[in-house]
Amino acid sequence: MQNGRSSPVIGASSTRSRSSPVPSGSNTAWLESLSPWPADGFGLGRMQQLLALLDDPQTRYPAIHVVGTNGKSTATRTIEAILLAEGLSVGATVSPHVRTWAERITVNGDEVDLEGALARVRAAAESVRATQFESITAAALVEFATAGVDVAVIEAGLGGRLDATNVVNARVVLLTGVGLDHTDVLGATRREIAVEKLAVAVPGATVVLPDAEFADLVRDRCTVVVGGAPDAAAAFLGRSPGPVPTVRLPGRLEWRESEVRDGAHNPDGMRWLVDQLRPRTFVVCASMLADKDVTTMLQCLSLLGETFVATTSSNARALPADALAERAADWFARVEAVPVPVPAVARAHELGSPVLVTGSLYLLADLAAAEAS
């Protein structure tokens, strides 16, 4: 055992939780029925076919493309807020969502009519057998064109080079940071991953980097700026914007009464979370995906407390609660497994306060769906 602790695993089970149902006839139900992963591997061909059927909406406005391992949604919403404050009409798309699918597409700060947005792309998406992410990305791009936005702020899904968002007219690219995540798809080293992410930069774009580490990977005829989301907005505007608005996203360091929820789902995100919360101590309730660096994430979380409640999100890649509990026993003095998220959080509150709910945005989405039902 890594830290010498020995602890029992209590109440283990492999029962899976499920998200709240969506009416079977809805376009949202259709979207949820689609595979989130391409069966034939990642590539842009199917997305390009889909957009061609939709009259290539992505060509009708410039974009700011946000790539990186962590912090993309917060950066996207920050840029959106800055540009809205400057009087521009702005479309934005983020992923994944926490409360509802409608979070993913906004125009001028408001969620669009998701059912209508999906209806506009559904026939074309079905004809090319588009994935879930390709379909909702296409819906966002069509909504932005229909609204006649001045700019779209686009969060990449996975990587960049072969991501479905790598079809936009990106005047500015923001790299939020690079960590070891999705290494089976993007590469085994940070540099390999950075190559995949920065491949979205086309000649003439301004590329905003967190530091100069990967500046040599930026294509010729691009301008390199070191900074963050405000600098990306400034690069698009051609001048410094006004005060940076504060944005709050569900599931990102979300404080509730005696509870914190954060969707940290990889080691870099977990290290950042631990830095924000120490020296407080918590009862930790978590679900984690099996393809993540679970050991490192548990090691990080052990710095925040000695009690851990393992649960399982509805994502097919989630570790069963009992398997996660067995691994957590190396790092926590007390470990319990409660497979269903809502009872798991309730059990964590019974064991102490405050409670930290983390490990997966899918877990937070399950909890939000249960609270809304």
Side-chain angles (χ1 to χ4, degrees):
M1 293 183 291
Q2 290 92 328
N3 65 355
R5 292 178 181 169
S6 177
S7 55
V9 178
I10 305 170
S13 172
S14 59
T15 303
R16 300 297 300 274
S17 63
R18 297 183 180 273
S19 300
S20 294
V22 176
S24 59
S26 74
N27 291 311
T28 305
W30 162 75
L31 181 70
E32 289 192 334
S33 74
L34 299 178
S35 171
W37 296 88
D40 54 352
F42 289 92
L44 296 178
R46 187 171 44 247
M47 188 65 181
Q48 290 165 340
Q49 289 178 331
L50 172 56
L51 293 174
L53 291 172
L54 297 168
D55 274 340
D56 286 314
Q58 78 283 2
T59 63
R60 299 178 214 169
Y61 42 81
I64 299 173
H65 205 169
V66 181
V67 298
T69 303
N70 291 308
K72 295 190 297 294
S73 292
T74 299
T76 298
R77 291 299 185 208
T78 299
I79 296 168
E80 175 190 34
I82 292 171
L83 297 180
L84 285 172
E86 293 291 325
L88 274 66
S89 175
V90 184
T93 180
V94 299
S95 64
H97 62 276
V98 172
R99 292 176 181 158
T100 70
W101 282 94
E103 287 172 36
R104 297 195 182 208
I105 309 174
T106 53
V107 171
N108 294 329
D110 296 324
E111 295 175 358
V112 303
D113 169 18
L114 184 65
E115 282 292 307
L118 293 174
R120 283 184 273 280
V121 304
R122 180 169 176 174
E126 289 178 332
S127 73
V128 301
R129 298 184 178 181
T131 66
Q132 191 178 77
F133 186 68
E134 289 165 346
S135 299
I136 196 163
T137 299
L141 299 178
V142 169
E143 289 301 298
F144 302 157
T146 302
V149 299
D150 298 316
V151 56
V153 192
I154 309 290
E155 177 184 346
L158 191 154
R161 181 174 64 91
L162 299 178
D163 187 71
T165 61
N166 192 21
V167 292
V168 297
N169 175 24
R171 187 179 299 177
V172 178
V173 173
L174 169 65
L175 175 69
T176 60
V178 179
L180 293 175
D181 200 11
H182 299 294
T183 54
D184 57 328
V185 177
L186 302 179
T189 69
R190 291 179 64 249
R191 187 171 180 85
E192 290 175 347
I193 293 171
V195 168
E196 290 291 312
K197 295 181 183 298
L198 290 173
V200 303
V202 298
T206 298
V207 181
V208 182
L209 305 175
D211 51 49
E213 181 181 4
F214 297 119
D216 65 304
L217 298 179
V218 177
R219 294 180 178 181
D220 293 339
R221 295 195 291 129
C222 287
T223 302
V224 176
V225 174
V226 173
D231 303 282
F236 182 84
L237 292 167
R239 56 179 170 79
S240 297
V244 178
T246 299
V247 299
R248 302 286 184 190
L249 277 70
R252 279 77 167 184
L253 207 63
E254 180 182 350
W255 288 84
R256 301 180 170 210
E257 184 178 355
S258 70
E259 182 179 307
V260 180
R261 294 185 182 183
D262 189 272
H265 56 278
N266 55 44
D268 283 351
M270 204 63 77
R271 291 185 191 102
W272 179 88
L273 176 62
V274 169
D275 286 344
Q276 305 309 304
L277 297 180
R278 293 183 74 181
R280 302 176 188 90
T281 58
F282 295 81
V283 174
V284 178
C285 179
S287 172
M288 297 180 186
L289 300 186
D291 55 2
K292 301 294 182 179
D293 185 352
V294 172
T295 297
T296 301
M297 293 166 66
L298 290 169
Q299 182 182 10
C300 291
L301 286 172
S302 69
L303 299 174
L304 294 176
E306 295 191 343
T307 304
F308 185 92
V309 178
T311 190
T312 311
S313 77
S314 58
N315 188 283
R317 293 180 290 138
L319 272 176
D322 54 353
L324 178 59
E326 288 176 8
R327 298 179 68 169
D330 287 342
W331 297 102
F332 292 84
R334 178 168 188 170
V335 176
E336 298 192 15
V338 181
V340 181
V342 171
V345 173
R347 178 56 179 158
H349 280 283
E350 292 174 356
L351 295 174
S353 181
V355 168
L356 169 62
V357 185
T358 189
S360 171
L361 282 164
Y362 299 107
L363 168 62
L364 304 189
D366 288 344
L367 293 169
E371 290 165 356
S373 62

